[in-house]
Amino acid sequence: MRVLGINAIFHDPAAALVVDGRVVAAAEEERFSRRKHGKRPVPFSAWELPELSAAWCLASAGIDVDALDAVAYSFDPGLCRDAADLGLSDPWDWLRVDYARRAPQFLAAALPGLDPEKVRFVPHHVAHAASAGLAAPPAGDDTAVLVLDGRGEVASHLAGVYRDGRLSPLYSQQLPHSLGLLYEDLTRHLGFLHSSDEYKVMALASYGQPRHLGQLRDLVRATDDGGFQVERIDWSSMAKAVAAGGELAEEHADLASSVQVRLEEVVLDLSRWLYDASGGATTLAMAGGVALNCVANARLAAEGPYRDVWVQPAAGDSGTALGAALHVAGELGDRSAPMAGADLGRGWSEEELEAELRRAALPYTRPASIAAEAARVLADNGIVAWYQGRSEYGPRALGHRSLLAHPGDPDTTRRMNDVKGREQFRPIAPMVRAERFAELFDGVYPSPYMLFVHRVKPEWRDRIPAVTHVDGTARVQTVHAETEPVVAELLAEFERRTGLPVVVNTSLNTAGRPMVDTPREAMELFGSAPVDLLALGPFAVHRGALGGAR
Ligand SMILES: [Fe+2]
């Protein structure tokens, strides 16, 4: 069966193509449209579809629109209720629902030849759940699944269990109670962009003390039926509101810390309830925007009852395109295959990359090993724009569209944040050779998608200061030679030169822009930022070769 998944309702519009139960392509619209997060999550934008990524998914697999068996849309307007009845103040929500109802016609217009009858609505949280429960590595027994986000049709949470590829929902928390909306509200109060900058709040939290935890324990609490309650919170009583981009003080870090810790506690409570209700499932799979909170994930993995915790790398709404498609493929009789990696987006052949370099008239070489060449530049404390293979699905750069640097220089954080033009409190993360992980870090292993924080062992903190956060943690990506041979070779070469099995890895983009997707965008970034080497597939472009000063 051929099923195209579509996420379009709130933010991070995306498309995914599932053929015979296997994800063959998935991409976020922002990588094509170059609009960060694709669109703002307002009702007026709900009609906009991920047209470019959907068309690319089909073209990349050589599938015509009329050969699709179904299109899965990750929101079911039939479940919706009046926003006021849900306790939401969203006076235009009816418009969102109206657009969703018409999605089959909008899709038929966007994908000429599509029969609108083939469009199926998948409940938002079922799509999130499938992106976790059906895409996770096989567990050997039942997989518990926990979805937490801002909102879907009428809920903000789903706890359930996958058994033989079928979801049994156990509890769903109804709106207006929402841990995702709670975090979004805080994000707004701290002067950041909600539905976008929540990860900045998480980073800020590590600088604060949870002074308001007692109060928040009263206001935000799990209930004994598997759900939770969030009371109305007067943020200003705990820290004054910050204007957009305004100055942050200790009180703001303390507030962020308090909410972060309370979120962790409630997520733990929910996961324990689910463990009991699922009859002791050994694996927990998670999705929904809250599951991008890698501090909470790490705590859940460490203190929760599960042997394994797996998080969908596209845990935010983009992942519902993949989940909706997997869910409908299952309904049509296909057995889903776990996803092998997040490199599901666009890629270019060596010939195409070389043609782009020639067109740009850039002086390039083809070293015997691009990994060794990049390792040499990194060992000299240079910055490398690393562009290899297919682009990542989800918000993390995982060694395909990455900016790399030396972890041993304390000044690397400032230089990288300068290249990217972003706040200095933002940590940068390490990638590490899988076989060396245990020597340097404590925490969840394997961690190929950077969705958990780890503890840096004390004896290593001074050796890799650039990636050791103020609280002694690091958000680690483990690199496995079987799945990422070129990155593994780079790490091995870097270690041979420096004794460090770790390289700094951050996303290949500049502030406010989506990650680089095409070779041309990679060259544009290289041309405009102090990057020493562009490693474009097997080709190398050195800053020095351009004749510029470093
Ligand atoms: Fe969602």
Side-chain angles (χ1 to χ4, degrees):
M1 294 291 169
R2 295 154 167 183
V3 184
L4 179 69
I6 296 287
N7 171 55
I9 194 71
F10 297 110
H11 45 76
D12 297 310
L17 183 65
V18 168
V19 176
D20 299 333
R22 198 170 65 84
V23 188
V24 297
E28 291 170 60
E29 188 73 358
E30 64 161 29
R31 309 290 161 81
F32 294 76
S33 70
R34 311 310 295 161
R35 288 168 69 197
K36 186 89 173 159
H37 297 297
K39 58 182 175 183
R40 289 302 291 156
V42 291
F44 316 101
S45 70
W47 64 274
E48 287 182 41
L49 294 168
E51 296 188 25
L52 301 169
S53 45
W56 169 78
C57 282
L58 295 175
S60 72
I63 289 175
D64 288 334
V65 170
D66 58 8
L68 285 171
D69 294 288
V71 175
Y73 183 87
S74 62
F75 189 82
D76 183 352
L79 299 174
C80 289
R81 295 198 348 241
D82 194 75
D85 291 349
L86 295 171
L88 298 177
S89 90
D90 196 349
W92 291 93
D93 194 50
W94 61 271
L95 185 64
R96 176 183 283 127
V97 181
D98 201 45
Y99 281 145
R101 261 192 218 107
R102 294 162 203 265
Q105 285 71 37
F106 283 125
L107 279 160
L111 299 168
L114 176 71
D115 175 358
E117 296 286 317
K118 287 186 180 169
V119 178
R120 296 185 183 209
F121 294 118
V122 177
H124 188 72
H125 292 101
V126 170
H128 271 308
S131 81
L134 296 179
D141 61 357
D142 298 347
T143 301
V145 63
L146 182 63
V147 173
L148 286 163
D149 68 358
R151 62 165 294 194
E153 295 86 355
V154 291
S156 71
H157 152 268
L158 174 73
V161 61
Y162 271 95
R163 196 164 288 145
D164 295 327
R166 297 245 167 264
L167 173 67
S168 303
L170 295 169
Y171 194 79
S172 177
Q173 178 57 54
Q174 303 293 290
L175 292 166
H177 304 284
S178 167
L179 296 176
L181 293 181
L182 169 81
Y183 220 87
E184 284 188 18
D185 269 356
L186 172 65
T187 302
R188 201 182 284 116
H189 188 76
L190 294 176
F192 297 119
L193 187 63
H194 74 90
S195 308
S196 170
D197 292 349
E198 280 68 23
Y199 59 100
K200 297 184 186 176
V201 176
M202 191 188 73
L204 183 65
S206 57
Y207 290 88
Q209 293 300 320
R211 282 196 292 124
H212 308 289
L213 189 55
Q215 198 179 342
L216 284 162
R217 281 181 175 148
D218 291 335
L219 294 166
V220 185
R221 56 191 184 274
T223 48
D224 43 15
D225 53 4
F228 52 87
Q229 288 198 322
V230 181
E231 308 292 345
R232 207 170 191 81
I233 295 176
D234 176 11
W235 299 111
S236 295
S237 71
M238 294 184 257
K240 62 176 179 297
V242 182
E247 198 77 13
L248 293 160
E250 194 178 315
E251 61 172 333
H252 302 111
D254 288 348
L255 177 57
S257 167
S258 307
V259 175
Q260 172 67 31
V261 173
R262 187 58 189 143
L263 174 80
E264 294 162 18
E265 291 176 345
V266 174
V267 170
L268 263 170
D269 288 343
L270 296 175
S271 81
R272 289 186 181 120
W273 180 90
L274 173 58
Y275 180 77
D276 293 338
S278 69
T282 53
T283 300
L284 174 68
M286 292 177 74
V290 176
L292 290 172
N293 192 306
C294 45
V295 176
N297 294 349
R299 188 154 171 207
L300 174 53
E303 297 175 35
Y306 300 92
R307 188 192 61 201
D308 298 310
V309 177
W310 188 84
V311 182
Q312 160 61 240
D317 273 3
S318 59
T320 64
L322 182 152
L326 285 175
H327 177 78
V328 168
E331 285 185 332
L332 296 174
D334 283 342
R335 203 170 175 83
S336 51
M339 60 191 274
D343 52 335
L344 295 163
R346 281 190 285 183
W348 274 260
S349 68
E350 288 181 11
E351 293 72 32
E352 289 169 325
L353 293 176
E354 192 162 23
E356 291 281 352
L357 287 165
R358 286 217 177 99
R359 196 172 301 134
L362 277 177
Y364 65 91
T365 58
R366 182 178 182 138
S369 159
I370 190 67
E373 184 83 353
R376 189 176 61 75
V377 172
L378 292 168
D380 283 347
N381 211 9
I383 293 178
V384 174
W386 180 253
Y387 182 104
Q388 304 291 331
R390 295 175 68 173
S391 58
E392 298 90 345
Y393 185 50
R396 304 271 188 266
L398 300 165
H400 291 242
R401 303 287 184 273
S402 286
L403 203 55
L404 308 177
H406 198 304
D409 179 1
D411 199 36
T412 296
T413 313
R414 184 196 57 77
R415 285 166 66 212
M416 293 294 260
N417 285 336
D418 278 351
V419 168
K420 294 166 68 82
R422 60 182 209 177
E423 299 89 345
Q424 289 301 336
F425 66 81
R426 302 269 302 281
I428 50 177
M431 40 169 60
V432 62
R433 295 177 68 195
E435 51 271 55
R436 300 295 306 279
F437 168 86
E439 196 186 313
L440 280 76
F441 305 104
D442 289 315
V444 174
Y445 178 89
S447 174
Y449 300 128
M450 276 171 86
L451 289 160
F452 301 90
V453 292
H454 300 79
R455 191 175 149 274
V456 183
K457 293 196 172 166
E459 63 272 27
W460 278 90
R461 289 181 189 170
D462 290 344
R463 298 186 67 187
I464 50 172
V467 294
T468 304
H469 197 34
V470 60
D471 57 2
T473 64
R475 194 178 63 194
V476 176
Q477 178 193 355
T478 56
V479 174
H480 307 259
E482 318 82 73
T483 46
E484 295 289 350
V486 188
V487 185
E489 186 191 345
L490 179 148
L491 286 166
E493 278 292 325
F494 184 76
E495 182 173 13
R496 198 174 60 75
R497 289 172 176 274
T498 63
L500 302 174
V502 165
V503 161
V504 170
N505 167 35
T506 177
S507 52
L508 189 57
N509 63 341
T510 48
R513 297 214 174 85
M515 252 194 273
V516 157
D517 208 63
T518 67
R520 179 173 289 240
E521 288 150 17
M523 292 187 285
E524 283 170 359
L525 183 143
F526 178 68
S528 63
V531 172
D532 299 284
L533 169 71
L534 169 63
L536 195 74
F539 305 105
V541 185
H542 286 272
R543 170 75 49 200
L546 300 181
R550 237 190 93 176

